[in-house]
Amino acid sequence: MTTWHEDASCRTGYDPTMWDTPNSDNITKANEYAIAVCGRCPVRTQCLTEALEAEKGTSTAGRWHISGGLTPVERARLDTSTPREKRSVA
């Protein structure tokens, strides 16, 4: 059985550190490139759904990497199960 991970655009040919992010709204040029790769990915929705589910209720500080084309801060803002004060970085 194959999983959506096998069809992910980021799976091969890219430096995996491009998806590493500072835990803030400040993204790097490499992050911008990773977000562009995600934008063309055939399984972006599945990736984002899995990240949001795994991070449910987690503060922004507990989120890492670009997932589903979004930064940790962007995903935290979508998570209504996390108290508002924990959704942004001071």
Side-chain angles (χ1 to χ4, degrees), residues 2-90:
T2 60
T3 67
W4 66 262
H5 300 91
E6 294 175 19
D7 295 325
S9 296
C10 62
R11 183 175 156 89
T12 58
Y14 298 100
D15 177 356
T17 63
M18 291 186 342
W19 280 264
D20 293 342
T21 58
N23 200 346
S24 68
D25 278 325
N26 300 320
I27 62 171
T28 66
K29 288 288 184 193
N31 294 155
E32 290 174 4
Y33 189 75
I35 291 167
V37 171
C38 292
R40 300 184 304 271
C41 184
V43 294
R44 178 180 180 203
T45 301
Q46 293 93 320
C47 180
L48 180 58
T49 299
E50 184 174 287
L52 291 172
E53 186 61 33
E55 296 170 339
K56 193 174 237 177
T58 303
S59 69
T60 302
R63 297 167 191 257
W64 303 98
H65 311 294
I66 303 294
S67 292
L70 299 181
T71 67
V73 171
E74 291 168 329
R75 292 192 311 276
R77 289 179 182 145
L78 292 176
D79 183 0
T80 58
S81 69
T82 300
R84 183 177 298 275
E85 63 274 5
K86 291 186 177 182
R87 289 188 218 164
S88 60
V89 175

